[in-house]
Amino acid sequence: MRPYLGLAGNILASNFGRVGFPYKLTFVTTYACNYRCKTCNIWERKPKNELSLEEIRRFFEKSNRFNWIDFTGGEPWLRKDFPDIVEAALDHCRSLLLVHFPTNGYLTKQVVEGTRRIMERRPKKLIITVSTDGDEVVNDEVRGIKGGWKRQIETYRQLRAIPGVDVVLGMTLSSLNVREYGRAFAAAKAECPWLTPRDFHVNIVHESGHYYGNANVAGLRDRTDEMIEEVAAYRARRGLPRGMVDLLEDRYLRRVEPYLRTGITPMRCHALRSSCFVDSWGNVYPCGMYDAKIASLRDHDYDLRAIWNLPRTRRLQKEIWRYDCPQCWTPCEAYQSIFGNLLGLRNTPRSLRGREGSIEKTT
């Protein structure tokens, strides 16, 4: 019960002010990746001197008040100690309710066996997203690995058989696959007859210099109108929300159109108010989109509380609150922002209220 109360309390508090410690963390375990996606250039990095397991354990020992952690990469499972990393968080973060990680699904045996091991520690809620970008032909073309789709589907199938694991397929819409959702869903359902639209999540492509490394990739969102239509069709397929997770997803999808049409984040962002981003070297950023390094965990004895209260952190949070940052609507930042705006408190800067009006008309 404690983790549920802890998250609920932090969500409520975030509607009124900045929380004393980030309740949500996005943590990059490694920038290593075995795919060659055309929408992301993480795979071009050759990461060295990333945080060791002992450093990560030290981090979660010192910084242990998270309610929600997204572990990400690169491909997290290229770290053979990834289950140890998750277990370190489970051991030290007593209020941890939700653990999520994406995977490209290529290393089926490693992912499935490691997930079974993680489940032995009885996390309160574990959600896994297996990435897919189309049917077999389109997926393998976009993701740059022949034979990837078959492995992704097999990983999804085996993960779904593990009791207690919530696993979904995740598709990122871009100009490379914008009209492919229907075929992607049909192909996956042919292999997994139980599949429903609620098992197949959709989001939109983003650019980031310090995370995806794709800021110079041209044309990823050229087909904006088609992306809007595709998201609307997907949302209709999902039907009315049936619970909190569905409601959160529905609110995210409703605001894709105003974001794509205006380029403005459709509500106050909660980066550095409720959440933060830590890369695989321990560098702390507001989020995955804003290339504004705050400080290094290695320089602060792995204590995120010290960094959370630095003057620079507070200044950046105020910049983000004023919309003086790269605008985005990625789920990694949108979900906690949706939670933090549940009460609908209107506090948009005057300079943006005209544009916000245009946003509201399209929601």
Side-chain angles (χ1 to χ4, degrees):
M1 188 57 128
R2 176 181 171 184
Y4 290 91
L5 292 175
L7 178 57
N10 275 323
I11 288 172
L12 180 61
S14 71
N15 278 264
F16 294 96
R18 186 173 186 260
V19 297
F21 185 87
Y23 72 76
K24 193 216 171 175
L25 169 70
T26 299
F27 184 73
V28 181
T29 58
T30 180
Y31 278 91
C33 189
N34 52 341
Y35 269 48
R36 298 293 183 268
C37 298
K38 294 180 178 179
T39 56
C40 168
N41 289 333
I42 287 177
W43 58 271
E44 292 185 342
R45 301 190 184 209
K46 303 291 187 265
K48 296 180 180 179
N49 195 33
E50 294 180 308
L51 292 174
S52 68
L53 177 59
E54 289 309 310
E55 287 180 298
I56 294 171
R57 284 174 173 157
R58 176 73 169 160
F59 167 57
F60 285 122
E61 180 182 0
K62 302 273 290 188
S63 309
N64 54 19
R65 294 166 54 191
F66 301 111
N67 303 124
W68 178 355
I69 300 177
D70 275 355
F71 293 101
T72 189
E75 169 53 38
W77 290 95
L78 287 179
R79 282 195 68 140
K80 294 183 179 180
D81 60 359
F82 181 60
D84 299 291
I85 292 172
V86 177
E87 288 172 1
L90 293 170
D91 286 345
H92 293 293
C93 302
R94 299 298 182 183
S95 295
L96 185 57
L97 173 61
L98 172 60
V99 172
H100 167 262
F101 59 81
T103 175
N104 61 36
Y106 196 80
L107 303 172
T108 301
K109 182 178 179 181
Q110 189 169 328
V111 174
V112 173
E113 290 182 354
T115 299
R116 288 198 181 104
R117 177 181 154 187
I118 290 169
M119 288 304 296
E120 291 175 0
R121 306 301 285 269
R122 298 185 178 181
K124 296 294 186 296
K125 191 170 187 64
L126 176 63
I127 301 176
I128 303 172
T129 300
V130 180
S131 300
T132 183
D133 280 331
D135 62 10
E136 183 173 1
V137 173
V138 173
N139 177 88
D140 290 0
E141 174 66 22
V142 173
R143 301 187 71 81
I145 295 290
K146 189 175 181 179
W149 184 85
K150 290 181 178 178
R151 289 189 179 228
Q152 291 156 214
I153 294 298
E154 182 59 28
T155 298
Y156 170 73
R157 191 200 325 269
Q158 292 191 32
L159 286 173
R160 193 177 184 276
I162 301 175
V165 176
D166 290 335
V167 57
V168 299
L169 293 170
M171 182 173 181
T172 299
L173 291 183
S174 72
S175 59
L176 302 177
N177 65 354
V178 67
R179 289 296 189 186
E180 296 297 327
Y181 167 75
R183 281 186 284 270
F185 181 84
K189 190 172 179 62
E191 301 293 327
C192 306
W194 61 82
L195 197 71
T196 73
R198 286 184 168 84
D199 301 315
F200 200 118
H201 289 211
V202 169
N203 60 71
I204 55 175
V205 70
H206 278 75
E207 297 85 26
S208 168
H210 84 94
Y211 182 34
Y212 298 126
N214 63 351
N216 295 323
V217 179
L220 292 179
R221 288 215 302 250
D222 279 353
R223 299 163 67 182
T224 299
D225 287 341
E226 293 173 88
M227 291 175 70
I228 290 169
E229 291 172 7
E230 191 86 318
V231 169
Y234 165 68
R235 182 178 171 232
R237 288 193 187 197
R238 288 180 63 90
L240 294 175
R242 298 178 182 175
M244 180 55 71
V245 174
D246 267 3
L247 184 62
L248 189 66
E249 188 77 0
D250 187 70
R251 290 194 175 193
Y252 166 77
L253 293 168
R254 281 174 55 195
R255 288 165 174 81
V256 168
E257 179 178 355
Y259 168 69
L260 288 176
R261 293 208 183 280
T262 66
I264 303 170
T265 303
M267 61 177 61
R268 292 273 199 174
C269 178
H270 274 242
L272 297 185
R273 182 177 171 103
S274 301
S275 61
C276 67
F277 176 101
V278 176
D279 73 13
S280 60
W281 295 278
N283 299 312
V284 181
Y285 292 83
C287 63
M289 302 299 111
Y290 194 1
D291 190 4
K293 178 181 171 181
I294 301 169
S296 169
L297 291 173
R298 285 168 167 162
D299 294 335
H300 288 81
D301 195 26
Y302 306 95
D303 186 354
L304 185 59
R305 290 172 297 182
I307 297 173
W308 186 250
N309 292 306
L310 289 174
R312 173 166 170 76
T313 309
R314 294 180 178 274
R315 284 196 302 271
L316 282 170
Q317 192 272 321
K318 290 177 181 178
E319 288 181 14
I320 294 165
W321 204 241
R322 295 193 305 265
Y323 289 71
D324 293 334
C325 65
Q327 303 295 290
C328 77
W329 193 236
T330 172
C332 294
E333 311 308 324
Y335 290 162
Q336 60 269 30
S337 297
I338 292 169
F339 276 141
N341 287 278
L342 286 177
L343 301 184
L345 301 178
R346 186 180 177 86
N347 48 17
T348 305
R350 290 181 180 177
S351 61
L352 287 169
R353 285 183 184 170
R355 287 185 285 174
E356 188 201 32
S358 66
I359 291 172
E360 289 177 343
K361 290 174 185 176
T362 58
T363 56

mmCIF file of all heavy atoms in Angstrom, residues 125-166:
data_model
loop_
_atom_site.group_PDB
_atom_site.id
_atom_site.type_symbol
_atom_site.label_atom_id
_atom_site.label_comp_id
_atom_site.label_asym_id
_atom_site.label_seq_id
_atom_site.Cartn_x
_atom_site.Cartn_y
_atom_site.Cartn_z
ATOM 1 N N LYS A 125 4.721 -3.366 -9.900
ATOM 2 C CA LYS A 125 4.206 -3.349 -11.271
ATOM 3 C C LYS A 125 5.377 -3.245 -12.234
ATOM 4 O O LYS A 125 6.188 -2.330 -12.119
ATOM 5 C CB LYS A 125 3.238 -2.185 -11.474
ATOM 6 C CG LYS A 125 2.461 -2.253 -12.793
ATOM 7 C CD LYS A 125 1.357 -1.227 -12.830
ATOM 8 C CE LYS A 125 0.465 -1.389 -14.068
ATOM 9 N NZ LYS A 125 -0.260 -2.671 -14.097
ATOM 10 N N LEU A 126 5.446 -4.181 -13.169
ATOM 11 C CA LEU A 126 6.490 -4.180 -14.184
ATOM 12 C C LEU A 126 5.831 -4.115 -15.554
ATOM 13 O O LEU A 126 5.013 -4.975 -15.911
ATOM 14 C CB LEU A 126 7.348 -5.446 -14.087
ATOM 15 C CG LEU A 126 8.420 -5.611 -15.176
ATOM 16 C CD1 LEU A 126 9.449 -4.492 -15.108
ATOM 17 C CD2 LEU A 126 9.106 -6.975 -15.059
ATOM 18 N N ILE A 127 6.164 -3.081 -16.317
ATOM 19 C CA ILE A 127 5.658 -2.916 -17.677
ATOM 20 C C ILE A 127 6.831 -2.946 -18.643
ATOM 21 O O ILE A 127 7.838 -2.263 -18.427
ATOM 22 C CB ILE A 127 4.888 -1.593 -17.835
ATOM 23 C CG1 ILE A 127 3.706 -1.538 -16.872
ATOM 24 C CG2 ILE A 127 4.393 -1.435 -19.277
ATOM 25 C CD1 ILE A 127 2.950 -0.221 -16.912
ATOM 26 N N ILE A 128 6.709 -3.717 -19.704
ATOM 27 C CA ILE A 128 7.762 -3.831 -20.715
ATOM 28 C C ILE A 128 7.174 -3.460 -22.070
ATOM 29 O O ILE A 128 6.093 -3.916 -22.437
ATOM 30 C CB ILE A 128 8.330 -5.263 -20.774
ATOM 31 C CG1 ILE A 128 8.868 -5.690 -19.407
ATOM 32 C CG2 ILE A 128 9.434 -5.359 -21.829
ATOM 33 C CD1 ILE A 128 9.281 -7.152 -19.335
ATOM 34 N N THR A 129 7.890 -2.623 -22.797
ATOM 35 C CA THR A 129 7.495 -2.269 -24.164
ATOM 36 C C THR A 129 8.465 -2.921 -25.136
ATOM 37 O O THR A 129 9.674 -2.679 -25.067
ATOM 38 C CB THR A 129 7.507 -0.752 -24.378
ATOM 39 O OG1 THR A 129 6.598 -0.126 -23.462
ATOM 40 C CG2 THR A 129 7.096 -0.409 -25.800
ATOM 41 N N VAL A 130 7.943 -3.768 -26.002
ATOM 42 C CA VAL A 130 8.740 -4.344 -27.085
ATOM 43 C C VAL A 130 8.507 -3.484 -28.319
ATOM 44 O O VAL A 130 7.385 -3.367 -28.812
ATOM 45 C CB VAL A 130 8.351 -5.803 -27.365
ATOM 46 C CG1 VAL A 130 9.212 -6.365 -28.502
ATOM 47 C CG2 VAL A 130 8.508 -6.654 -26.104
ATOM 48 N N SER A 131 9.563 -2.862 -28.810
ATOM 49 C CA SER A 131 9.435 -1.907 -29.918
ATOM 50 C C SER A 131 9.170 -2.619 -31.241
ATOM 51 O O SER A 131 9.734 -3.685 -31.514
ATOM 52 C CB SER A 131 10.703 -1.065 -30.041
ATOM 53 O OG SER A 131 10.933 -0.348 -28.850
ATOM 54 N N THR A 132 8.314 -2.023 -32.052
ATOM 55 C CA THR A 132 8.075 -2.500 -33.407
ATOM 56 C C THR A 132 7.650 -1.308 -34.248
ATOM 57 O O THR A 132 6.976 -0.407 -33.756
ATOM 58 C CB THR A 132 6.998 -3.604 -33.449
ATOM 59 O OG1 THR A 132 6.852 -4.089 -34.785
ATOM 60 C CG2 THR A 132 5.652 -3.099 -32.957
ATOM 61 N N ASP A 133 8.042 -1.262 -35.489
ATOM 62 C CA ASP A 133 7.765 -0.091 -36.318
ATOM 63 C C ASP A 133 6.992 -0.407 -37.590
ATOM 64 O O ASP A 133 6.995 0.381 -38.535
ATOM 65 C CB ASP A 133 9.069 0.624 -36.671
ATOM 66 C CG ASP A 133 9.564 1.498 -35.529
ATOM 67 O OD1 ASP A 133 8.721 1.978 -34.748
ATOM 68 O OD2 ASP A 133 10.778 1.690 -35.402
ATOM 69 N N GLY A 134 6.321 -1.559 -37.613
ATOM 70 C CA GLY A 134 5.545 -1.908 -38.797
ATOM 71 C C GLY A 134 5.381 -3.410 -38.899
ATOM 72 O O GLY A 134 5.657 -4.149 -37.936
ATOM 73 N N ASP A 135 4.926 -3.897 -40.050
ATOM 74 C CA ASP A 135 4.935 -5.334 -40.276
ATOM 75 C C ASP A 135 6.381 -5.761 -40.526
ATOM 76 O O ASP A 135 7.311 -4.956 -40.390
ATOM 77 C CB ASP A 135 4.006 -5.714 -41.431
ATOM 78 C CG ASP A 135 4.415 -5.099 -42.768
ATOM 79 O OD1 ASP A 135 5.524 -4.531 -42.874
ATOM 80 O OD2 ASP A 135 3.608 -5.177 -43.722
ATOM 81 N N GLU A 136 6.587 -7.005 -40.892
ATOM 82 C CA GLU A 136 7.965 -7.515 -40.988
ATOM 83 C C GLU A 136 8.806 -6.700 -41.963
ATOM 84 O O GLU A 136 9.948 -6.325 -41.651
ATOM 85 C CB GLU A 136 7.947 -8.985 -41.408
ATOM 86 C CG GLU A 136 9.348 -9.593 -41.444
ATOM 87 C CD GLU A 136 9.334 -11.088 -41.695
ATOM 88 O OE1 GLU A 136 8.236 -11.660 -41.864
ATOM 89 O OE2 GLU A 136 10.429 -11.695 -41.718
ATOM 90 N N VAL A 137 8.267 -6.386 -43.125
ATOM 91 C CA VAL A 137 9.049 -5.676 -44.136
ATOM 92 C C VAL A 137 9.376 -4.263 -43.686
ATOM 93 O O VAL A 137 10.539 -3.823 -43.722
ATOM 94 C CB VAL A 137 8.291 -5.651 -45.484
ATOM 95 C CG1 VAL A 137 9.029 -4.771 -46.492
ATOM 96 C CG2 VAL A 137 8.142 -7.067 -46.034
ATOM 97 N N VAL A 138 8.365 -3.520 -43.253
ATOM 98 C CA VAL A 138 8.573 -2.123 -42.869
ATOM 99 C C VAL A 138 9.415 -2.033 -41.602
ATOM 100 O O VAL A 138 10.338 -1.215 -41.506
ATOM 101 C CB VAL A 138 7.215 -1.415 -42.669
ATOM 102 C CG1 VAL A 138 7.422 -0.005 -42.103
ATOM 103 C CG2 VAL A 138 6.459 -1.350 -43.984
ATOM 104 N N ASN A 139 9.110 -2.862 -40.627
ATOM 105 C CA ASN A 139 9.874 -2.844 -39.374
ATOM 106 C C ASN A 139 11.357 -3.052 -39.627
ATOM 107 O O ASN A 139 12.202 -2.292 -39.143
ATOM 108 C CB ASN A 139 9.355 -3.929 -38.437
ATOM 109 C CG ASN A 139 10.160 -4.022 -37.146
ATOM 110 O OD1 ASN A 139 9.897 -3.345 -36.173
ATOM 111 N ND2 ASN A 139 11.172 -4.883 -37.130
ATOM 112 N N ASP A 140 11.690 -4.080 -40.379
ATOM 113 C CA ASP A 140 13.104 -4.391 -40.589
ATOM 114 C C ASP A 140 13.800 -3.326 -41.434
ATOM 115 O O ASP A 140 15.002 -3.085 -41.280
ATOM 116 C CB ASP A 140 13.253 -5.769 -41.246
ATOM 117 C CG ASP A 140 12.885 -6.907 -40.286
ATOM 118 O OD1 ASP A 140 12.517 -6.605 -39.133
ATOM 119 O OD2 ASP A 140 12.957 -8.078 -40.693
ATOM 120 N N GLU A 141 13.036 -2.659 -42.296
ATOM 121 C CA GLU A 141 13.604 -1.565 -43.077
ATOM 122 C C GLU A 141 13.876 -0.355 -42.179
ATOM 123 O O GLU A 141 14.955 0.241 -42.237
ATOM 124 C CB GLU A 141 12.643 -1.177 -44.205
ATOM 125 C CG GLU A 141 13.065 0.043 -44.999
ATOM 126 C CD GLU A 141 14.344 -0.151 -45.798
ATOM 127 O OE1 GLU A 141 14.707 -1.309 -46.089
ATOM 128 O OE2 GLU A 141 14.986 0.872 -46.136
ATOM 129 N N VAL A 142 12.920 0.018 -41.343
ATOM 130 C CA VAL A 142 13.080 1.189 -40.481
ATOM 131 C C VAL A 142 14.113 0.938 -39.397
ATOM 132 O O VAL A 142 14.932 1.815 -39.085
ATOM 133 C CB VAL A 142 11.724 1.585 -39.847
ATOM 134 C CG1 VAL A 142 11.915 2.693 -38.805
ATOM 135 C CG2 VAL A 142 10.743 2.045 -40.919
ATOM 136 N N ARG A 143 14.109 -0.267 -38.862
ATOM 137 C CA ARG A 143 14.986 -0.558 -37.722
ATOM 138 C C ARG A 143 16.345 -1.094 -38.139
ATOM 139 O O ARG A 143 17.228 -1.260 -37.290
ATOM 140 C CB ARG A 143 14.293 -1.516 -36.752
ATOM 141 C CG ARG A 143 12.978 -0.930 -36.223
ATOM 142 C CD ARG A 143 12.346 -1.762 -35.127
ATOM 143 N NE ARG A 143 13.091 -1.678 -33.895
ATOM 144 C CZ ARG A 143 13.005 -0.680 -33.025
ATOM 145 N NH1 ARG A 143 12.214 0.350 -33.279
ATOM 146 N NH2 ARG A 143 13.704 -0.696 -31.914
ATOM 147 N N GLY A 144 16.530 -1.368 -39.416
ATOM 148 C CA GLY A 144 17.858 -1.624 -39.942
ATOM 149 C C GLY A 144 18.448 -2.979 -39.645
ATOM 150 O O GLY A 144 19.651 -3.185 -39.832
ATOM 151 N N ILE A 145 17.627 -3.930 -39.206
ATOM 152 C CA ILE A 145 18.122 -5.269 -38.887
ATOM 153 C C ILE A 145 17.222 -6.311 -39.539
ATOM 154 O O ILE A 145 16.041 -6.422 -39.194
ATOM 155 C CB ILE A 145 18.156 -5.507 -37.358
ATOM 156 C CG1 ILE A 145 19.165 -4.586 -36.705
ATOM 157 C CG2 ILE A 145 18.478 -6.967 -37.031
ATOM 158 C CD1 ILE A 145 20.617 -4.920 -37.010
ATOM 159 N N LYS A 146 17.745 -7.068 -40.460
ATOM 160 C CA LYS A 146 16.974 -8.134 -41.092
ATOM 161 C C LYS A 146 16.686 -9.230 -40.073
ATOM 162 O O LYS A 146 17.570 -9.663 -39.338
ATOM 163 C CB LYS A 146 17.745 -8.706 -42.277
ATOM 164 C CG LYS A 146 16.927 -9.682 -43.120
ATOM 165 C CD LYS A 146 17.692 -10.123 -44.359
ATOM 166 C CE LYS A 146 16.842 -11.079 -45.205
ATOM 167 N NZ LYS A 146 17.569 -11.510 -46.431
ATOM 168 N N GLY A 147 15.443 -9.662 -40.037
ATOM 169 C CA GLY A 147 15.053 -10.703 -39.086
ATOM 170 C C GLY A 147 14.657 -10.161 -37.722
ATOM 171 O O GLY A 147 14.287 -10.925 -36.834
ATOM 172 N N GLY A 148 14.696 -8.825 -37.554
ATOM 173 C CA GLY A 148 14.375 -8.242 -36.260
ATOM 174 C C GLY A 148 12.930 -8.451 -35.851
ATOM 175 O O GLY A 148 12.640 -8.770 -34.696
ATOM 176 N N TRP A 149 11.994 -8.273 -36.798
ATOM 177 C CA TRP A 149 10.573 -8.353 -36.464
ATOM 178 C C TRP A 149 10.214 -9.708 -35.873
ATOM 179 O O TRP A 149 9.496 -9.786 -34.870
ATOM 180 C CB TRP A 149 9.743 -8.079 -37.715
ATOM 181 C CG TRP A 149 8.253 -8.036 -37.449
ATOM 182 C CD1 TRP A 149 7.524 -6.968 -37.019
ATOM 183 C CD2 TRP A 149 7.330 -9.114 -37.623
ATOM 184 N NE1 TRP A 149 6.193 -7.314 -36.902
ATOM 185 C CE2 TRP A 149 6.040 -8.628 -37.273
ATOM 186 C CE3 TRP A 149 7.441 -10.448 -38.042
ATOM 187 C CZ2 TRP A 149 4.895 -9.425 -37.323
ATOM 188 C CZ3 TRP A 149 6.297 -11.240 -38.097
ATOM 189 C CH2 TRP A 149 5.042 -10.732 -37.741
ATOM 190 N N LYS A 150 10.705 -10.781 -36.474
ATOM 191 C CA LYS A 150 10.374 -12.117 -35.978
ATOM 192 C C LYS A 150 10.863 -12.300 -34.540
ATOM 193 O O LYS A 150 10.168 -12.883 -33.710
ATOM 194 C CB LYS A 150 10.988 -13.182 -36.885
ATOM 195 C CG LYS A 150 10.321 -13.266 -38.259
ATOM 196 C CD LYS A 150 10.948 -14.347 -39.116
ATOM 197 C CE LYS A 150 10.238 -14.435 -40.468
ATOM 198 N NZ LYS A 150 10.850 -15.459 -41.359
ATOM 199 N N ARG A 151 12.048 -11.793 -34.252
ATOM 200 C CA ARG A 151 12.567 -11.900 -32.884
ATOM 201 C C ARG A 151 11.757 -11.034 -31.924
ATOM 202 O O ARG A 151 11.500 -11.425 -30.776
ATOM 203 C CB ARG A 151 14.036 -11.496 -32.856
ATOM 204 C CG ARG A 151 14.958 -12.501 -33.527
ATOM 205 C CD ARG A 151 16.414 -12.127 -33.265
ATOM 206 N NE ARG A 151 17.318 -13.077 -33.866
ATOM 207 C CZ ARG A 151 18.356 -13.632 -33.231
ATOM 208 N NH1 ARG A 151 18.580 -13.334 -31.965
ATOM 209 N NH2 ARG A 151 19.154 -14.463 -33.851
ATOM 210 N N GLN A 152 11.366 -9.848 -32.372
ATOM 211 C CA GLN A 152 10.581 -8.955 -31.523
ATOM 212 C C GLN A 152 9.256 -9.609 -31.129
ATOM 213 O O GLN A 152 8.846 -9.566 -29.966
ATOM 214 C CB GLN A 152 10.322 -7.633 -32.263
ATOM 215 C CG GLN A 152 11.567 -6.785 -32.449
ATOM 216 C CD GLN A 152 11.478 -5.826 -33.613
ATOM 217 O OE1 GLN A 152 12.475 -5.536 -34.279
ATOM 218 N NE2 GLN A 152 10.282 -5.328 -33.911
ATOM 219 N N ILE A 153 8.571 -10.202 -32.115
ATOM 220 C CA ILE A 153 7.289 -10.843 -31.846
ATOM 221 C C ILE A 153 7.472 -12.047 -30.929
ATOM 222 O O ILE A 153 6.663 -12.281 -30.018
ATOM 223 C CB ILE A 153 6.601 -11.256 -33.168
ATOM 224 C CG1 ILE A 153 6.228 -10.010 -33.982
ATOM 225 C CG2 ILE A 153 5.364 -12.110 -32.896
ATOM 226 C CD1 ILE A 153 5.243 -9.080 -33.284
ATOM 227 N N GLU A 154 8.525 -12.806 -31.134
ATOM 228 C CA GLU A 154 8.764 -13.967 -30.269
ATOM 229 C C GLU A 154 9.067 -13.532 -28.842
ATOM 230 O O GLU A 154 8.603 -14.153 -27.875
ATOM 231 C CB GLU A 154 9.908 -14.817 -30.825
ATOM 232 C CG GLU A 154 10.198 -16.069 -30.012
ATOM 233 C CD GLU A 154 8.996 -17.000 -29.907
ATOM 234 O OE1 GLU A 154 8.136 -17.000 -30.820
ATOM 235 O OE2 GLU A 154 8.926 -17.737 -28.899
ATOM 236 N N THR A 155 9.833 -12.452 -28.691
ATOM 237 C CA THR A 155 10.104 -11.931 -27.353
ATOM 238 C C THR A 155 8.818 -11.468 -26.691
ATOM 239 O O THR A 155 8.568 -11.752 -25.509
ATOM 240 C CB THR A 155 11.108 -10.768 -27.431
ATOM 241 O OG1 THR A 155 12.338 -11.259 -27.970
ATOM 242 C CG2 THR A 155 11.367 -10.171 -26.051
ATOM 243 N N TYR A 156 7.989 -10.758 -27.447
ATOM 244 C CA TYR A 156 6.699 -10.319 -26.907
ATOM 245 C C TYR A 156 5.863 -11.515 -26.469
ATOM 246 O O TYR A 156 5.277 -11.519 -25.378
ATOM 247 C CB TYR A 156 5.944 -9.511 -27.969
ATOM 248 C CG TYR A 156 4.516 -9.220 -27.599
ATOM 249 C CD1 TYR A 156 4.202 -8.276 -26.614
ATOM 250 C CD2 TYR A 156 3.464 -9.899 -28.213
ATOM 251 C CE1 TYR A 156 2.892 -8.019 -26.264
ATOM 252 C CE2 TYR A 156 2.150 -9.643 -27.866
ATOM 253 C CZ TYR A 156 1.873 -8.703 -26.888
ATOM 254 O OH TYR A 156 0.570 -8.463 -26.534
ATOM 255 N N ARG A 157 5.793 -12.540 -27.300
ATOM 256 C CA ARG A 157 4.994 -13.723 -26.990
ATOM 257 C C ARG A 157 5.459 -14.391 -25.688
ATOM 258 O O ARG A 157 4.654 -14.732 -24.816
ATOM 259 C CB ARG A 157 5.090 -14.712 -28.155
ATOM 260 C CG ARG A 157 4.088 -15.873 -28.053
ATOM 261 C CD ARG A 157 4.523 -17.066 -28.911
ATOM 262 N NE ARG A 157 5.179 -16.700 -30.134
ATOM 263 C CZ ARG A 157 4.565 -16.517 -31.299
ATOM 264 N NH1 ARG A 157 3.252 -16.620 -31.393
ATOM 265 N NH2 ARG A 157 5.272 -16.220 -32.375
ATOM 266 N N GLN A 158 6.779 -14.556 -25.553
ATOM 267 C CA GLN A 158 7.292 -15.239 -24.363
ATOM 268 C C GLN A 158 7.169 -14.386 -23.101
ATOM 269 O O GLN A 158 6.902 -14.893 -22.016
ATOM 270 C CB GLN A 158 8.743 -15.651 -24.594
ATOM 271 C CG GLN A 158 8.895 -16.743 -25.647
ATOM 272 C CD GLN A 158 10.296 -17.332 -25.675
ATOM 273 O OE1 GLN A 158 10.978 -17.424 -24.654
ATOM 274 N NE2 GLN A 158 10.728 -17.750 -26.868
ATOM 275 N N LEU A 159 7.358 -13.076 -23.235
ATOM 276 C CA LEU A 159 7.200 -12.197 -22.071
ATOM 277 C C LEU A 159 5.758 -12.206 -21.578
ATOM 278 O O LEU A 159 5.502 -12.178 -20.365
ATOM 279 C CB LEU A 159 7.616 -10.768 -22.420
ATOM 280 C CG LEU A 159 9.110 -10.497 -22.555
ATOM 281 C CD1 LEU A 159 9.338 -9.078 -23.062
ATOM 282 C CD2 LEU A 159 9.844 -10.697 -21.228
ATOM 283 N N ARG A 160 4.819 -12.238 -22.494
ATOM 284 C CA ARG A 160 3.412 -12.215 -22.102
ATOM 285 C C ARG A 160 3.031 -13.446 -21.294
ATOM 286 O O ARG A 160 2.078 -13.418 -20.510
ATOM 287 C CB ARG A 160 2.518 -12.113 -23.345
ATOM 288 C CG ARG A 160 1.067 -11.778 -23.014
ATOM 289 C CD ARG A 160 0.249 -11.627 -24.277
ATOM 290 N NE ARG A 160 -1.117 -11.215 -23.981
ATOM 291 C CZ ARG A 160 -2.097 -12.047 -23.639
ATOM 292 N NH1 ARG A 160 -1.858 -13.344 -23.552
ATOM 293 N NH2 ARG A 160 -3.324 -11.579 -23.396
ATOM 294 N N ALA A 161 3.782 -14.542 -21.463
ATOM 295 C CA ALA A 161 3.483 -15.775 -20.740
ATOM 296 C C ALA A 161 3.998 -15.756 -19.301
ATOM 297 O O ALA A 161 3.698 -16.668 -18.527
ATOM 298 C CB ALA A 161 4.084 -16.971 -21.492
ATOM 299 N N ILE A 162 4.768 -14.723 -18.939
ATOM 300 C CA ILE A 162 5.305 -14.639 -17.577
ATOM 301 C C ILE A 162 4.260 -13.998 -16.674
ATOM 302 O O ILE A 162 3.848 -12.852 -16.915
ATOM 303 C CB ILE A 162 6.605 -13.814 -17.540
ATOM 304 C CG1 ILE A 162 7.658 -14.439 -18.453
ATOM 305 C CG2 ILE A 162 7.138 -13.729 -16.116
ATOM 306 C CD1 ILE A 162 8.942 -13.613 -18.560
ATOM 307 N N PRO A 163 3.808 -14.694 -15.630
ATOM 308 C CA PRO A 163 2.782 -14.131 -14.753
ATOM 309 C C PRO A 163 3.233 -12.825 -14.109
ATOM 310 O O PRO A 163 4.372 -12.706 -13.665
ATOM 311 C CB PRO A 163 2.591 -15.227 -13.689
ATOM 312 C CG PRO A 163 3.050 -16.483 -14.355
ATOM 313 C CD PRO A 163 4.175 -16.070 -15.250
ATOM 314 N N GLY A 164 2.329 -11.846 -14.106
ATOM 315 C CA GLY A 164 2.599 -10.586 -13.434
ATOM 316 C C GLY A 164 3.250 -9.523 -14.286
ATOM 317 O O GLY A 164 3.376 -8.374 -13.856
ATOM 318 N N VAL A 165 3.671 -9.859 -15.498
ATOM 319 C CA VAL A 165 4.331 -8.889 -16.382
ATOM 320 C C VAL A 165 3.302 -8.270 -17.326
ATOM 321 O O VAL A 165 2.539 -8.987 -17.983
ATOM 322 C CB VAL A 165 5.452 -9.550 -17.214
ATOM 323 C CG1 VAL A 165 6.056 -8.553 -18.186
ATOM 324 C CG2 VAL A 165 6.520 -10.115 -16.298
ATOM 325 N N ASP A 166 3.256 -6.951 -17.377
ATOM 326 C CA ASP A 166 2.455 -6.255 -18.379
ATOM 327 C C ASP A 166 3.372 -5.933 -19.547
ATOM 328 O O ASP A 166 4.348 -5.197 -19.386
ATOM 329 C CB ASP A 166 1.880 -4.956 -17.814
ATOM 330 C CG ASP A 166 0.808 -5.204 -16.769
ATOM 331 O OD1 ASP A 166 0.186 -6.281 -16.808
ATOM 332 O OD2 ASP A 166 0.599 -4.330 -15.916
#
